[in-house]
Amino acid sequence: METTTFAATDGFPHTALVGVTGPEQAVAVQGDPRAALPLASVSKPISAWGVLIAVERGLVDLDEPVGPEGSTLLNLLDHTSGLPFEGDQTQAAPGTRRIYSNAGFDALGAHVGASVGMPFAEWLAREVIVPLGMQDTDVAGRPSAGYRASIADLLSFAREVLRPALIPVALRDLALSVSRSGLRGVVPGYGSFDDNQWGLGFELKGAKSPHWLSDSLPPETAGHFGGQGSFLFIDRAGDLGAAFLSGVAFSDEHKRIWPPLTEEIVARYGVR
């Protein structure tokens, strides 16, 4: 694995841990790959993977009722349940708007935990964290935004997304495909979009601009960013995954460096 420096992070006033992986192994890292920092909403794709494992085992079903009346487990995964960012006051009928919701993911964790017969954190540790060797990761917090992990562990997870072993490829493909196209919604920090594309636990780049991913990345690029200055993205066209951790609140400084950084990562390490 190459130890490197990314030019796009020059002048960034905080810690900038960066990692890049191919499908088999990590290929580049900037900073300490084992330093565990808050993931904030980058927790959601990891939680989603635990949910999808339960789906594959037949312990829950994407179409079963969860959350507000008329909502399903799928609605919680793709942020169309109608639940708000926080709280339980429904803001729209299920399936009609893309309302980004921490509350929805926390409800998801509670429901899956009850269905599998153990706390969701225990399920996630047993079925995702330990099998993937994510030794620096702590999933004791909220399923929506409460986990901590290192760059090394996020790259392990990215390799699982690129070449899934814990769920079938078809289920991975479903998670990284547009769920309900044409729904209006807000990407926190970036504004409202008429077609706010989302998969199951993963945001999709689509045609959104401005965005935290470079405009040059393919529309099907999937990932997530978090309010503690973190991101994870999967570029299947380039056969790579990448992660960023800073441990500080998302700000204009992150918005400034992330698009050129993601472009630099893909230009240097992507397969085209």
Side-chain angles (χ1 to χ4, degrees):
M1 178 174 62
E2 174 189 4
T3 300
T4 190
T5 300
F6 290 93
T9 63
D10 289 350
F12 184 68
H14 310 290
T15 297
L17 305 180
V18 187
V20 185
T21 190
E24 305 299 331
Q25 62 185 8
V27 296
V29 67
Q30 173 178 292
D32 182 356
R34 302 238 72 104
L37 294 175
L39 299 185
S41 286
V42 177
S43 304
K44 290 183 177 73
I46 299 172
S47 292
W49 219 252
V51 174
L52 294 173
I53 290 171
V55 170
E56 171 59 19
R57 304 271 178 85
L59 299 170
V60 295
D61 189 277
L62 290 172
D63 294 326
E64 69 187 44
V66 192
E69 184 176 357
S71 172
T72 65
L73 188 142
L74 180 64
N75 290 123
L76 294 179
L77 280 167
D78 72 2
H79 297 288
T80 61
S81 71
L83 285 172
F85 179 64
E86 299 284 4
D88 58 7
Q89 188 66 44
T90 305
Q91 295 185 341
T96 61
R97 285 174 54 197
R98 188 88 64 195
I99 303 172
Y100 181 77
S101 179
N102 280 347
F105 258 75
D106 292 339
L108 191 64
H111 178 81
V112 172
S115 298
V116 303
M118 67 184 73
F120 185 66
E122 184 178 336
W123 170 260
L124 200 60
R126 191 183 82 176
E127 301 296 336
V128 178
I129 305 308
V130 171
L132 296 182
M134 297 171 66
Q135 64 189 53
D136 309 312
T137 299
D138 180 355
V139 294
R142 296 174 65 182
S144 61
Y147 304 160
R148 296 175 64 90
S150 65
I151 287 290
D153 284 4
L154 288 176
L155 296 186
S156 293
F157 179 69
R159 289 192 290 276
E160 161 67 11
V161 180
L162 286 168
R163 298 289 190 277
L166 303 180
I167 63 173
V169 170
L171 193 52
R172 184 281 311 270
D173 290 349
L174 180 66
L176 271 59
S177 299
V178 180
S179 179
R180 305 177 220 268
S181 62
L183 291 184
R184 186 171 184 83
V186 172
V187 177
Y190 288 90
S192 181
F193 298 92
D194 289 337
D195 187 11
N196 186 12
Q197 295 187 355
W198 221 273
L200 307 184
F202 294 79
E203 186 199 352
L204 301 178
K205 172 67 173 67
K208 287 173 277 193
S209 183
H211 196 258
W212 59 276
L213 291 166
S214 168
D215 288 343
S216 67
L217 268 66
E220 62 270 20
T221 305
H224 219 294
F225 82 91
Q228 284 294 305
S230 53
F231 73 57
L232 171 75
F233 77 83
I234 306 296
D235 173 19
R236 285 190 286 169
D239 217 13
L240 64 78
F244 179 97
L245 292 172
S246 66
V248 298
F250 172 70
S251 69
D252 286 344
E253 284 296 314
H254 295 90
K255 294 174 75 171
R256 176 180 67 83
I257 70 165
W258 280 354
L261 175 59
T262 56
E263 184 162 357
E264 184 179 357
I265 287 169
V266 170
R268 286 172 62 174
Y269 299 104
V271 177
R272 288 289 190 265

